[in-house]
Amino acid sequence: KNVLQQHVYKKNHNKMKKNIMKKIMCLLVFACSLSFNSIQAQEKEGFRFDAMIMYGLGFGVADNSNETDYNFRTQEFNAVFNFDFGKLFGFGTGLGFSRLSGNGFNSSGDFFHSRTSLRIPVLLTMIHPVTEHFEFYANGGFFWEHISNDEFQYLNTTIEDLYEGSSIGAQFQIGLFINLPDHLDWGESRLGIIVGAQVSGEYDSLLNTQDLGDIYTTSVVYSYRFN
């Protein structure tokens, strides 16, 4: 009975992930059409370029096909370069690093799992002034992720690189920026906080398939705008 319930849960969870991916894709297509109209309608204001540094903390669930699921914590550091091509929408990409860690158990015993990954996002972004000093920020899109180090530490042994390779995931983030005062003389600098959700791709080992679904993060952001 437990095996059947777990199978039904896995099936429903995978279906939910596919639906999330489809919804993100639909939102991106819709936003792209709006941004195209924005480009056509805008006056010749020139393109804006933003450099953003983000540091975030979060948590998630390691979803396993043939082993027990377990929770983990994650740290992220991202450098994102945003190109505003309209009054509202833009395109963002960059480079990110993430580290997850968590305790769990499987058929080999109790373990401590740590993983370091490299990430390259491709995002559709939105920056909209709310007041003179505050701006609303959002992004959504996909990312390519590659495992650079994977380690399971058991009581008497350590297994490295059980999971390897690359995958494609999806993300969505929203937040609020505040413009720093002019007297600080930092140019067009902003500080912000954003919250987000991620859906990771799958990684295969010899006996198990793992994906990192339901990842939620909170990040602090420093942004500098070049006009």
Side-chain angles (χ1 to χ4, degrees):
K1 183 178 179 181
N2 291 334
V3 175
L4 179 60
Q5 290 176 341
Q6 186 177 17
H7 174 73
V8 172
Y9 170 79
K10 301 289 187 184
K11 184 176 181 181
N12 292 336
H13 186 265
N14 290 334
K15 183 177 180 181
M16 182 181 68
K17 286 184 62 179
K18 291 180 180 178
N19 289 335
I20 292 175
M21 296 280 280
K22 289 180 181 178
K23 289 178 180 179
I24 291 178
M25 179 64 76
C26 291
L27 288 173
L28 289 175
V29 172
F30 177 69
C32 283
S33 64
L34 290 179
S35 62
F36 179 77
N37 292 333
S38 176
I39 294 173
Q40 297 298 316
Q42 75 172 345
E43 299 176 359
K44 294 183 179 180
E45 299 176 349
F47 291 89
R48 295 177 301 179
F49 170 69
D50 297 89
M52 302 180 185
I53 302 297
M54 305 179 180
Y55 174 75
L57 299 173
F59 62 92
V61 178
D63 186 17
N64 301 291
S65 61
N66 296 315
E67 298 285 358
T68 304
D69 299 343
Y70 56 93
N71 299 324
F72 62 84
R73 301 171 299 278
T74 182
Q75 300 180 61
E76 296 184 352
F77 179 82
N78 299 286
V80 176
F81 305 99
N82 187 72
F83 303 87
D84 293 333
F85 48 71
K87 293 182 178 179
L88 191 60
F89 293 98
F91 166 79
T93 188
L95 186 65
F97 299 91
S98 67
R99 183 182 186 274
L100 69 84
S101 59
N103 296 301
F105 67 92
N106 55 25
S107 56
S108 299
D110 296 337
F111 61 79
F112 174 77
H113 181 205
S114 62
R115 174 181 296 167
T116 304
S117 300
L118 170 70
R119 177 178 298 178
I120 299 177
V122 178
L123 306 170
L124 186 68
T125 63
M126 182 178 73
I127 301 177
H128 179 66
V130 179
T131 67
E132 181 182 356
H133 301 290
F134 291 93
E135 291 181 328
F136 172 79
Y137 172 80
N139 73 55
F142 301 94
F143 58 83
W144 172 84
E145 184 177 64
H146 178 76
I147 296 177
S148 57
N149 182 66
D150 190 63
E151 186 175 272
F152 286 82
Q153 298 179 9
Y154 294 89
L155 181 61
N156 297 316
T157 186
T158 298
I159 299 177
E160 296 183 352
D161 300 327
L162 182 62
Y163 297 96
E164 298 179 299
S166 306
S167 70
I168 301 295
Q171 73 174 63
F172 178 74
Q173 294 177 312
I174 59 173
L176 194 66
F177 289 165
I178 180 172
N179 298 317
L180 295 184
D182 294 336
H183 68 265
L184 293 179
D185 197 25
W186 281 20
E188 293 197 39
S189 296
R190 295 167 296 169
L191 293 178
I193 184 168
I194 58 176
V195 295
Q198 305 170 16
V199 178
S200 176
E202 295 183 344
Y203 296 98
D204 294 322
S205 68
L206 185 61
L207 301 175
N208 185 52
T209 297
Q210 182 182 86
D211 67 71
L212 307 180
D214 306 326
I215 305 175
Y216 302 98
T217 59
T218 301
S219 302
V220 291
V221 185
Y222 171 75
S223 174
Y224 186 87
R225 174 166 293 167
F226 300 87
N227 289 316

